[in-house]
Amino acid sequence: MSTQDLNNIPKVYFFCFNYRKDRDIEAIKKEAKTYYDNFSEFVDRFEFKFISLEDDLKDNEEYNDSDLDISCWGFKFSELLNKYNPDIIHVFSDSLEGYHVFEENYGDLPYLTLYTVTGMDPLPRYEEGYLIHLRHAIDVGNLHIVTKSSVVSRMLSELGIRSTQVITKTDMKRNQLNKTNNNNKFTIGFASSPMSDNSWEDRGIPLLLDLASSLSSYQFKIAWRSRNMERLALELQQRKLDNVEVLNGFIDMYDFYKDVDAVVAPYTSFHNNHSSPLSIIEAIALGIPVIVTGQVGIKDIISKYDFGIITEATVEDLVQKVRLLVEKYDYYKKQVDSNGTAVFYLDHIEFHEYIKLYTLISEQTSAPTLKYWQNILNKADKYLVMGEREIAYYYNDERVAAMYDEHRFSEYPMRTFDLIERSAINFLIGKFGPFRVSKD
């Protein structure tokens, strides 16, 4: 584990998964790279490095991609961590399922980790044991979780997992957008193409095409950065849609937005979706109103500032809300023009929330993992008491277990049990570490 030298600048390593495989496609990677590029240029209090974990690389293999300005490591990278010794690991991923990959490479003392969850489904598959493991990592300060949506923060809170919400920002500048005014039709943009057939319905592609069919007098512009272009082309042909323009492959997003009047995110579920769609963030920052379904994670921010309209995930309500947006377009345009940049543009970079978190985390030291403590106790023929059932058995008192909450040390008999526990902890720390637990 890294011990920060006071003469050195703290090192922050950005991590994402398989960046090279879907170059310029996934919003997760684009967001992570945007922060990395801007922080590297404007923040000198930390040293930054961007790493992509690539599943086609061997154990502890490293490849530097100078064109992308990233380093690529294999999924087993413990030796590389020892070599570079970063102070903070910052992970960008759609769910918390990836945290185990890092702890498997950390060893007994984990690296301090900031983990940004970008998806709407933060833990699609989990076991209670993994939740306990995550809670311990958070409680001792090894893991700090960031979400992009208040909805996701509430989901995690219901699982007993603390998190901090940080609003997604974009570095797209409004003064670089050359808006064209030669549209004969109101143009609706869509730039949240599904990454696979599995997310076709979740991203609302059928709903989007139903909308285009229902609003034949409107123009639709789609930024399609997905491999399944054939399926979209077939759908357009079968529906005989001649009011849909599709841009495929690498896309200059300024060129995409220049003749778009509104941007839509017609998500139909939380699955396979980003909690803070980058196309919606970019549109608002550039002064373009939006229409989103209730399944979009930042609907509360859009509603708060009247950046657009929230719709149900049905074509009937979507048609109605599009017409309402057109009717009141001047009002919503004024709202995004007035507040969009302030909320979603990446400026004052040195004071960004991530920089504040890096500063806080860099002053901490990591603690042993829950697995480490369990192994130590098991070797001593002891065990770790966890959960109400085990507490009741340990104390031989169900009342004690039921009262074991944040107020448990204030009165007798819990105050006495607390002193006993601190004595036991001091025994362990006295044997395995240099510090002691206060009696206060």
Side-chain angles (χ1 to χ4, degrees):
M1 176 57 202
S2 167
T3 301
Q4 181 183 330
D5 188 330
L6 296 178
N7 296 319
N8 294 332
I9 298 175
K11 294 181 286 189
V12 179
Y13 279 27
F14 283 68
F15 279 83
C16 71
F17 294 94
N18 290 311
Y19 187 94
R20 290 188 300 167
K21 287 193 173 182
D22 295 309
R23 188 177 300 184
D24 193 45
I25 292 180
E26 281 202 39
I28 301 172
K29 302 163 189 176
K30 183 177 180 181
E31 179 183 347
K33 194 62 163 53
T34 296
Y35 285 122
Y36 165 74
D37 290 340
N38 281 276
F39 290 171
S40 297
E41 182 176 358
F42 297 109
V43 180
D44 58 8
R45 286 184 285 147
F46 299 94
E47 176 186 340
F48 298 97
K49 188 179 181 72
F50 191 99
I51 296 164
S52 173
L53 298 182
E54 303 282 336
D55 55 16
D56 58 350
L57 295 182
K58 298 177 182 178
D59 294 357
N60 295 296
E61 182 180 357
E62 180 181 14
Y63 169 77
N64 292 315
D65 191 321
S66 57
D67 293 334
L68 294 174
D69 187 26
I70 66 172
S71 294
C72 301
W73 294 3
F75 270 60
K76 291 187 178 180
F77 51 89
S78 57
E79 294 178 11
L80 293 172
L81 282 178
N82 291 332
K83 174 183 177 181
Y84 291 104
N85 221 15
D87 297 282
I88 298 171
I89 302 291
H90 189 172
V91 183
F92 284 78
S93 182
D94 60 342
S95 80
L96 280 167
E97 290 181 337
Y99 181 63
H100 76 91
V101 173
F102 291 86
E103 281 218 334
E104 287 175 358
N105 288 278
Y106 287 166
D108 292 336
L109 280 177
Y111 288 74
L112 298 170
T113 303
L114 185 67
Y115 200 108
T116 296
V117 182
T118 63
M120 278 298 292
D121 196 357
L123 274 170
R125 297 173 298 274
Y126 66 88
E127 296 178 353
E128 184 62 28
Y130 190 54
L131 286 182
I132 293 172
H133 185 77
L134 288 173
R135 292 176 193 135
H136 173 83
I138 295 167
D139 288 345
V140 299
N142 294 339
L143 175 62
H144 301 258
I145 296 175
V146 169
T147 72
K148 317 303 292 181
S149 162
S150 60
V151 177
V152 178
S153 288
R154 284 196 297 272
M155 289 180 181
L156 290 174
S157 179
E158 291 172 359
L159 295 173
I161 295 176
R162 294 197 310 273
S163 64
T164 301
Q165 182 186 357
V166 174
I167 295 175
T168 301
K169 304 278 187 174
T170 178
D171 60 354
M172 294 192 74
K173 298 179 175 63
R174 190 174 299 185
N175 59 13
Q176 293 186 17
L177 180 67
N178 297 317
K179 289 289 287 183
T180 58
N181 298 314
N182 56 357
N183 280 354
N184 295 321
K185 296 181 178 181
F186 189 90
T187 301
I188 298 172
F190 171 82
S192 297
S193 55
M195 298 308 301
S196 68
D197 286 341
N198 293 333
S199 55
W200 187 271
E201 297 277 349
D202 299 323
R203 289 286 172 96
I205 304 305
L207 183 57
L208 176 68
L209 299 181
D210 286 344
L211 180 66
S213 297
S214 300
L215 296 175
S216 58
S217 61
Y218 290 68
Q219 183 68 25
F220 289 79
K221 189 175 183 179
I222 297 178
W224 195 261
R225 293 168 291 187
S226 181
R227 294 191 184 98
N228 48 7
M229 180 63 199
E230 296 80 6
R231 182 177 179 181
L232 177 63
L234 181 61
E235 291 268 7
L236 293 174
Q237 182 181 4
Q238 291 176 341
R239 293 170 179 261
K240 299 179 179 179
L241 291 174
D242 57 4
N243 61 332
V244 178
E245 175 190 7
V246 180
L247 305 179
N248 189 29
F250 177 82
I251 300 168
D252 181 334
M253 293 308 292
Y254 284 113
D255 184 60
F256 173 79
Y257 290 119
K258 70 180 182 181
D259 54 0
V260 167
D261 298 300
V263 173
V264 63
Y267 296 174
T268 61
S269 78
F270 289 162
H271 302 296
N272 298 309
N273 282 323
H274 304 301
S275 57
S276 188
L278 201 54
S279 61
I280 298 300
I281 299 294
E282 291 172 346
I284 294 172
L286 293 173
I288 303 171
V290 299
I291 304 171
V292 303
T293 60
Q295 285 72 28
V296 171
I298 55 170
K299 62 179 181 180
D300 55 340
I301 300 175
I302 295 169
S303 179
K304 175 182 178 180
Y305 291 97
D306 278 345
F307 288 149
I309 296 180
I310 315 300
T311 177
E312 296 178 7
T314 65
V315 67
E316 294 81 11
D317 195 52
L318 192 50
V319 167
Q320 180 182 350
K321 295 301 170 55
V322 168
R323 288 173 174 159
L324 179 61
L325 180 72
V326 173
E327 179 185 337
K328 298 185 177 180
Y329 189 79
D330 289 344
Y331 169 75
Y332 290 109
K333 184 69 171 72
K334 179 181 177 182
Q335 292 301 110
V336 292
D337 284 342
S338 299
N339 300 311
T341 297
V343 176
F344 290 127
Y345 178 64
L346 182 60
D347 59 356
H348 305 299
I349 293 170
E350 64 274 19
F351 302 111
H352 189 274
E353 289 301 315
Y354 281 144
I355 302 300
K356 295 177 183 177
L357 288 170
Y358 298 155
T359 303
L360 174 66
I361 295 171
S362 65
E363 298 174 352
Q364 301 176 355
T365 56
S366 64
T369 65
L370 185 61
K371 184 177 180 180
Y372 174 81
W373 281 115
Q374 289 172 325
N375 289 338
I376 291 293
L377 290 171
N378 290 339
K379 289 178 181 178
D381 200 25
K382 304 292 183 181
Y383 68 96
L384 192 62
V385 178
M386 295 187 296
E388 186 171 326
R389 181 180 299 178
E390 289 190 13
I391 292 173
Y393 177 78
Y394 178 77
Y395 290 114
N396 195 26
D397 190 335
E398 292 184 1
R399 185 174 66 91
V400 170
M403 295 172 59
Y404 208 86
D405 58 17
E406 65 270 24
H407 306 295
R408 62 188 180 274
F409 303 136
S410 59
E411 298 178 357
Y412 179 83
M414 302 308 296
R415 186 171 60 240
T416 302
F417 289 129
D418 177 44
L419 292 175
I420 294 173
E421 289 170 352
R422 288 179 182 273
S423 297
I425 292 171
N426 270 328
F427 172 78
L428 288 173
I429 293 177
K431 188 172 183 179
F432 299 107
F435 304 108
R436 293 182 64 80
V437 178
S438 170
K439 292 182 179 180
D440 298 327

